[in-house]
Amino acid sequence: MDIEADIRALQLDSAEDNNGLVNPEDAKPEEVEMTDKVEEEGAKDQVDTKSHHVQAEPKVKDKEVAAAEDVEASDETETEKKRHLNVVFIGHVDAGKSTTGGQILFLSGQVDDRTIQKYEKEAKDKSRESWYMAYIMDTNEEERVKGKTVEVGRAHFETETTRFTILDAPGHKSYVPNMISGASQADIGVLVISARKGEFETGYERGGQTREHVQLAKTLGVSKLLVVVNKMDDHTVNWSKERYDEIESKMIPFLRSSGYNVKKDVQFLPISGLIGTNMKTRVDKSICPWWNGPCLFEALDSVEVPLRDPKGPFRMPIIDKFKDMGTVVMGKVESGSVCEGDSLLVMPNKAQVKVVAVYCDENKVRRAGPGENLRVRLSGIEEEDILSGFVLSSVVKPIAAVTEFTAQMQILELLENAIFTAGYKAVLHIHSVVEECEIVELLQQIDPKTKKPMKKKVLFVKNGAVVVCRVQVNNLICIEKFSDFPQLGRFTLRTEGKTIAVGKVTDLPSNSSA
């Protein structure tokens, strides 16, 4: 494939000279056609990893076609072919989230057998045979020694119709803030529940992570949930329909109370993450005669998610930044599109920046739309001037930067002896912002039955109450009204390691510095 490599190099050189346009005069016509073909192949290749490169051959075609048009066309087809979804794996510690994620990558061909054998050996050495699949997702040493996910792992895989990014969130309660950052980027959640006797119960009882994660996922905008009942192959379960039904009957009322429409937005299915049963292909009737539903891949493929507006004002909350030939920021596009060469603002410090390059799943792309996880290289700003929680936004309609806002929130569970009243302090998590906040004033309490404000003045509220209040933070934060941008207007309040309230931004002060 040396010819191709040469052509690529040639194409890159000429592209740099002409701001990304390959000029037909610079290259011989034959070469232009070959580059066109290679570019088309490149696009196909990204779209379908299975398709192998075909040897590039000069093809007779209209000599006057400029390569640039061709690139544009192939860019378009590339974006249209497959939709992109972010999937977050949530659930109690040890329910098997990382193992299930690892198994998905293995089944979809993202990990080869040799790597798996290496992990198997490594897990055996630590006398933890059943953890080897989790090692695909849990890459750092701390996670492997403890067998607990700490950071949010990411990985990519594809099915026939969709490209997925897996976000493997930690289940342990000390790492819930990390789980929040994972879930706030996700479109669908996969709630992993262990069917093993005793494990489901510990995860579900008060203080278990299953409950907290579901409530957080709903608030953070994970609108669709696949409830995966894992470890069905365990000897205490043995694919028993009774156990599966028991878990389903316990979870449904709880999911309902968390705000999920169980008929429309939730789907239950049994799997075994360790041996990969009912994941890529449906479970064999000899193993599980009672299951007639889809397997995990089919269920993921059939999930309908709300469309975002590619033409809206650009918004990308920054979750991470680093130096790499300039300043690179990472995040998920919540609205609008970004192209190479765009001028944008980094809010709240109003720094004007220029987009030098856009990367999506390791591949360099010309443009990217909403829902994509990107790394964007910027010029005009230093890496140390950016904090996670800042937002890359369009210049014409920048995002509001405020220190105070009005919000409607539901109190889930206050700490012992705590009263929710003016002067209450907590930590606010909203998209990628984590900021200390104080409740300045309770404006009104909402009657949960009628959804209308109550007449009497509120001074304090208890668990379960829905209340409208004014919230103040110390530093400028970038947020939007929930009605305009749901993803940038929903938040959670936490204190001492517990989620105490979830809510949405209903109003911003009129003089917000935009």
Side-chain angles (χ1 to χ4, degrees):
M1 295 311 239
D2 289 351
I3 307 172
E4 265 189 41
D6 292 347
I7 291 170
R8 286 264 157 93
L10 209 158
Q11 181 186 338
L12 285 173
D13 291 347
S14 55
E16 278 161 17
D17 299 345
N18 297 317
N19 293 336
L21 288 176
V22 179
N23 214 352
E25 282 82 49
D26 293 2
K28 298 190 198 84
E30 281 171 359
E31 278 178 354
V32 172
E33 287 152 20
M34 284 164 82
T35 38
D36 290 358
K37 187 139 186 355
V38 172
E39 292 204 326
E40 283 171 1
E41 277 172 40
K44 278 185 213 141
D45 223 300
Q46 288 162 0
V47 172
D48 183 4
T49 43
K50 295 186 200 94
S51 75
H52 296 293
H53 268 309
V54 193
Q55 188 68 42
E57 292 167 12
K59 203 165 94 181
V60 181
K61 88 149 75 142
D62 197 355
K63 296 265 191 281
E64 281 79 57
V65 175
E69 284 173 24
D70 225 61
V71 178
E72 284 296 305
S74 62
D75 266 6
E76 293 303 309
T77 52
E78 183 186 329
T79 43
E80 278 164 27
K81 282 256 172 87
K82 285 202 179 183
R83 60 181 191 154
H84 175 257
L85 288 181
N86 289 334
V87 187
V88 66
F89 278 76
I90 56 178
H92 191 63
V93 61
D94 278 352
K97 296 179 293 297
S98 301
T99 302
T100 307
Q103 185 73 32
I104 286 179
L105 293 179
F106 177 57
L107 290 172
S108 58
Q110 304 292 320
V111 186
D112 55 29
D113 289 343
R114 285 213 27 207
T115 320
I116 292 281
Q117 282 161 5
K118 188 179 101 195
Y119 290 156
E120 250 180 295
K121 182 177 178 306
E122 207 172 308
K124 257 206 185 78
D125 294 347
K126 295 193 169 84
S127 63
R128 293 276 188 271
E129 282 87 345
S130 68
W131 285 1
Y132 71 94
M133 275 293 174
Y135 282 7
I136 300 173
M137 294 302 288
D138 294 348
T139 43
N140 72 18
E141 201 46 40
E142 176 194 9
E143 294 180 318
R144 291 186 173 180
V145 174
K146 289 186 188 166
K148 290 188 192 119
T149 308
V150 178
E151 297 164 341
V152 176
R154 344 176 115 238
H156 313 286
F157 76 98
E158 302 193 359
T159 59
E160 297 300 311
T161 59
T162 319
R163 286 183 304 126
F164 289 100
T165 301
I166 299 180
L167 304 161
D168 174 31
H172 198 275
K173 67 170 180 291
S174 0
Y175 307 122
V176 169
N178 300 7
M179 177 263 160
I180 291 179
S181 80
S184 63
Q185 305 160 42
D187 303 302
I188 20 178
V190 174
L191 174 63
V192 185
I193 290 178
S194 164
R196 187 181 284 163
K197 281 272 184 290
E199 280 193 8
F200 165 65
E201 285 72 11
T202 36
Y204 179 66
E205 249 88 78
R206 277 202 172 301
Q209 259 35 66
T210 306
R211 283 168 164 269
E212 186 177 11
H213 278 189
V214 171
Q215 286 164 332
L216 283 169
K218 183 64 188 163
T219 324
L220 295 164
V222 179
S223 54
K224 306 282 184 188
L225 207 56
L226 289 181
V227 183
V228 171
V229 182
N230 189 15
K231 305 195 185 179
M232 290 296 288
D233 59 317
D234 191 79
H235 62 87
T236 60
V237 186
N238 257 333
W239 294 94
S240 129
K241 182 164 175 29
E242 287 70 42
R243 178 67 171 157
Y244 177 79
D245 290 345
E246 176 196 350
I247 291 175
E248 189 168 336
S249 63
K250 278 192 181 159
M251 285 305 294
I252 284 177
F254 171 62
L255 291 166
R256 230 177 239 130
S257 70
S258 299
Y260 280 99
N261 175 337
V262 180
K263 282 201 175 68
K264 273 174 42 192
D265 299 338
V266 179
Q267 192 173 3
F268 283 82
L269 42 125
I271 64 160
S272 159
L274 184 64
I275 51 181
T277 321
N278 203 30
M279 289 179 71
K280 191 172 185 184
T281 48
R282 295 192 178 193
V283 60
D284 202 295
K285 283 280 183 262
S286 62
I287 302 174
C288 176
W290 49 268
W291 179 250
N292 298 316
C295 61
L296 184 58
F297 278 32
E298 291 170 342
L300 283 169
D301 256 350
S302 62
V303 169
E304 295 287 320
V305 289
L307 291 167
R308 289 192 188 79
D309 184 8
K311 302 232 171 351
F314 184 69
R315 298 280 184 271
M316 183 180 108
I318 294 167
I319 49 173
D320 205 359
K321 40 88 194 248
F322 53 88
K323 271 198 168 84
D324 173 21
M325 293 160 48
T327 305
V328 180
V329 294
M330 287 168 65
K332 173 181 160 198
V333 182
E334 295 295 3
S335 153
S337 307
V338 62
C339 298
E340 263 179 46
D342 280 0
S343 291
L344 296 171
L345 281 180
V346 173
M347 294 294 288
N349 50 8
K350 300 201 177 100
Q352 294 241 354
V353 293
K354 198 168 163 90
V355 176
V356 184
V358 182
Y359 295 90
C360 168
D361 299 355
E362 311 300 317
N363 304 317
K364 190 168 186 221
V365 290
R366 279 274 182 89
R367 56 136 42 86
E372 293 284 6
N373 297 318
L374 303 182
R375 289 186 325 218
V376 181
R377 182 172 293 134
L378 304 172
S379 64
I381 191 165
E382 284 304 313
E383 177 247 2
E384 50 267 19
D385 296 335
I386 299 176
L387 296 172
S388 67
F390 283 12
V391 177
L392 210 51
S393 90
S394 72
V395 182
V396 188
K397 271 194 165 174
I399 189 168
V402 299
T403 53
E404 167 178 315
F405 58 93
T406 310
Q408 176 180 327
M409 58 180 88
Q410 180 177 12
I411 314 298
L412 298 175
E413 206 176 336
L414 295 168
L415 296 176
E416 297 293 312
N417 311 330
I419 303 175
F420 192 87
T421 170
Y424 189 92
K425 289 188 168 60
V427 179
L428 169 80
H429 291 258
I430 180 163
H431 61 86
S432 51
V433 173
V434 181
E435 195 60 65
E436 288 205 352
C437 72
E438 182 178 336
I439 308 298
V440 203
E441 178 188 8
L442 302 189
L443 299 172
Q444 51 196 179
Q445 190 169 348
I446 308 275
D447 186 331
K449 291 197 182 72
T450 61
K451 302 272 191 289
K452 297 213 164 70
M454 295 181 183
K455 291 255 166 49
K456 66 174 203 288
K457 183 109 182 75
V458 277
L459 293 172
F460 68 92
V461 290
K462 300 198 185 92
N463 285 351
V466 177
V467 60
V468 177
C469 46
R470 268 179 41 230
V471 184
Q472 204 169 39
V473 288
N474 302 332
N475 302 316
L476 274 177
I477 58 169
C478 297
I479 55 175
E480 292 276 11
K481 278 201 259 189
F482 180 81
S483 50
D484 300 342
F485 290 92
Q487 294 87 355
L488 305 177
R490 49 176 123 235
F491 63 86
T492 54
L493 289 186
R494 304 191 77 237
T495 180
E496 292 183 31
K498 270 176 71 174
T499 303
I500 51 161
V502 295
K504 52 189 186 184
V505 178
T506 52
D507 206 6
L508 300 173
S510 48
N511 58 356
S512 59
S513 68

